[in-house]
Amino acid sequence: MTDAFDVIVIGGGVIGMSSAWRLAGTGRRVLLLERDRTGAEASSAAAGMLGAQLETSSPGPFFQLCLESRSLYQNYVDELREETGVDAQLNHNGIYQLALTETEAHALQRRMEWQIQAGGRAQFLSSREVYESEPLVARNFGALYLPDDGNIHAPLLIRALSLAVKRTCTVLEGAEAISIVTHNSLDYTVSTHSEKYVTRTVVVATGAWAPHLLPSLTGRIRPVKGQLLSIRPRRATLQRTIFHHHTYLVPKRDGTIVVGATEDKEAGFNRDVRADAVQYLLDSAQQVAPGLSDAVFVRSWIGHRPGSEDAHPWIGELAESPQLHVAVGHFRNGILLAPVTANMLLDSIERRPWPVHWQAFHPARVSHEGEVTI
Ligand code: GLY
């Protein structure tokens, strides 16, 4: 048994690693426990969209949180590059949300209005403007252009974060945390299959697997399987992410395009790459960008998003469990929200007051529905 650590972070995905790295930057001794390899699950599967405006459906705290995290990204990747030499390929190339019918165009124009009022930049482009800038896409009724959304190369981001935490924290891979126990609400004992660690501060960032460790999250956090694939255009490619309904095409600097994604709430932790999902994604890609129909198929894969009841994350200290913090339920936005989540956890641990728009994501928002205890 050892108590050499100020903080134990459980979970080596993008949220756990960003938080551990941030906490280590304050001089804390941080232990990061990861049951597999760092970034083995949803974080590496992600398409890497930074869709702060794309992924939000109304003004409010979630929109503000997404914009805030997007605004942190340049510094975040610059610092990671300085620390590790790995460039996570942040791309500020904007996103087109395509209208394939007149009704969709009207809905996107309304969307543009509230986004501008809420502080985002957005512009509605005519079909001619869309065609001139993205000749591979389908005949359309225009597009909502979100110039400040972008994308990142998720596997490179994970590589950079893995190097950063291995330099600044103690990282144990293949070390599954199986219980967190407290006897006096002051010290926590975190057990793996072979060791016990004592600390005063714990962060649980185990994504869709969080209920395994915190049974009170059962039914509140659950896996939402997503399937993606990648293609390599033979000639011209897209300049920016194109999104329509549930389908996105994200061009990467390596010349491939990531096509996503399915959403399956019933699949649990199933890992099958399904033929019908591949077919659905290819059909959708063909509908959105017929100019890519002769692209070369590269591969298909799955990830388990950490879904939550309201599709928003839970970040902060659990009621009745001082200095036991969670950062889970980021659903479709773990990559985007990693920098702001790390800041929120640091302020939570240091008991600094949170701005109002962060408070909407505190676990206390649901504590009236039932006890949240470990
Ligand atoms: N962030 C997009 C997705 O989860 O499919």
Side-chain angles (χ1 to χ4, degrees):
M1 186 165 319
T2 167
D3 62 353
F5 299 103
D6 300 310
V7 188
I8 298 179
V9 176
I10 305 171
V14 69
I15 299 294
M17 288 196 288
S18 298
S19 305
W21 181 49
R22 184 95 179 84
L23 290 164
T26 65
R28 287 176 170 80
R29 296 159 302 168
V30 180
L31 171 65
L32 177 71
L33 296 175
E34 163 54 43
R35 73 185 172 114
D36 193 323
R37 287 169 294 106
T38 50
E41 297 285 356
S43 307
S44 297
M49 272 190 299
L50 299 178
Q53 292 177 238
L54 179 77
E55 294 277 1
T56 37
S57 53
S58 58
F62 188 61
F63 186 67
Q64 282 178 272
L65 191 76
C66 289
L67 292 194
E68 182 181 1
S69 204
R70 187 184 65 188
S71 74
L72 299 172
Y73 240 89
Q74 187 69 62
N75 272 349
Y76 174 65
V77 295
D78 287 349
E79 281 178 37
L80 273 174
R81 195 179 43 237
E82 274 165 34
E83 175 96 51
T84 66
V86 177
D87 176 10
Q89 298 189 353
L90 175 61
N91 219 336
H92 294 289
N93 54 353
I95 294 181
Y96 281 4
Q97 195 170 356
L98 204 61
L100 293 185
T101 65
E102 212 166 348
T103 311
E104 286 176 2
H106 289 142
L108 289 176
Q109 277 160 356
R110 288 195 297 277
R111 192 166 151 68
M112 174 183 71
E113 281 160 20
W114 75 250
Q115 293 223 341
I116 290 171
Q117 270 177 12
R121 288 203 302 154
Q123 185 186 351
F124 197 81
L125 303 181
S126 67
S127 57
R128 186 192 168 127
E129 287 170 310
V130 173
Y131 182 73
E132 282 176 0
S133 50
E134 293 288 0
L136 302 177
V137 305
R139 286 169 64 90
N140 59 78
F141 286 78
L144 180 61
Y145 175 38
L146 305 171
D148 298 322
D149 278 354
N151 75 83
I152 190 112
H153 193 295
L156 284 176
L157 178 67
I158 294 308
R159 193 186 303 167
L161 279 168
S162 301
L163 286 169
V165 289
K166 284 171 186 170
R167 287 201 180 158
T168 55
C169 308
T170 301
V171 179
L172 298 179
E173 294 176 294
E176 182 178 10
I178 51 172
S179 69
I180 308 169
V181 174
T182 181
H183 301 294
N184 52 10
S185 289
L186 204 60
D187 297 308
Y188 291 95
T189 303
V190 178
S191 301
T192 64
H193 291 285
S194 57
E195 289 289 342
K196 290 184 189 303
Y197 304 92
V198 176
T199 186
R200 296 221 155 163
T201 305
V202 179
V203 174
V204 176
T206 48
W209 290 262
H212 295 183
L213 204 51
L214 298 175
S216 58
L217 296 179
T218 303
R220 290 180 162 161
I221 303 293
R222 57 182 185 158
V224 181
K225 182 181 171 187
Q227 189 164 321
L228 303 92
L229 57 82
S230 62
I231 54 177
R232 184 178 291 282
R234 287 178 192 274
R235 290 173 288 274
T237 188
L238 301 171
Q239 303 308 309
R240 57 188 64 71
T241 296
I242 311 290
F243 189 96
H244 177 256
H245 271 314
H246 303 292
T247 304
Y248 45 81
L249 285 78
V250 187
K252 294 293 170 186
R253 282 208 222 160
D254 67 2
T256 61
I257 294 177
V258 175
V259 181
T262 58
E263 262 188 32
D264 188 345
K265 293 190 173 72
E266 309 304 326
F269 288 104
N270 175 284
R271 292 185 178 274
D272 294 340
V273 171
R274 289 176 53 135
D276 56 356
V278 172
Q279 180 150 10
Y280 164 78
L281 292 170
L282 289 175
D283 287 349
S284 305
Q286 164 82 11
Q287 188 197 16
V288 171
L292 289 169
S293 57
D294 65 348
V296 176
F297 177 84
V298 179
R299 69 184 183 101
S300 184
W301 65 95
I302 63 104
H304 292 108
R305 304 178 186 87
S308 68
E309 285 168 316
D310 58 4
H312 293 165
W314 289 32
I315 303 163
E317 189 176 44
L318 291 181
E320 317 297 332
S321 303
Q323 294 297 6
L324 172 55
H325 305 260
V326 293
V328 293
H330 290 71
F331 189 37
R332 295 175 61 96
N333 297 295
I335 300 275
L336 170 67
L337 294 176
V340 78
T341 300
N343 289 351
M344 292 166 82
L345 282 170
L346 177 60
D347 283 6
S348 182
I349 289 167
E350 295 190 345
R351 301 204 185 286
R352 276 199 288 266
W354 275 13
V356 173
H357 71 282
W358 287 5
Q359 288 165 19
F361 308 101
H362 193 277
R365 77 186 193 270
V366 291
S367 59
H368 62 279
E369 291 169 16
E371 245 184 298
V372 180
T373 52
I374 53 173

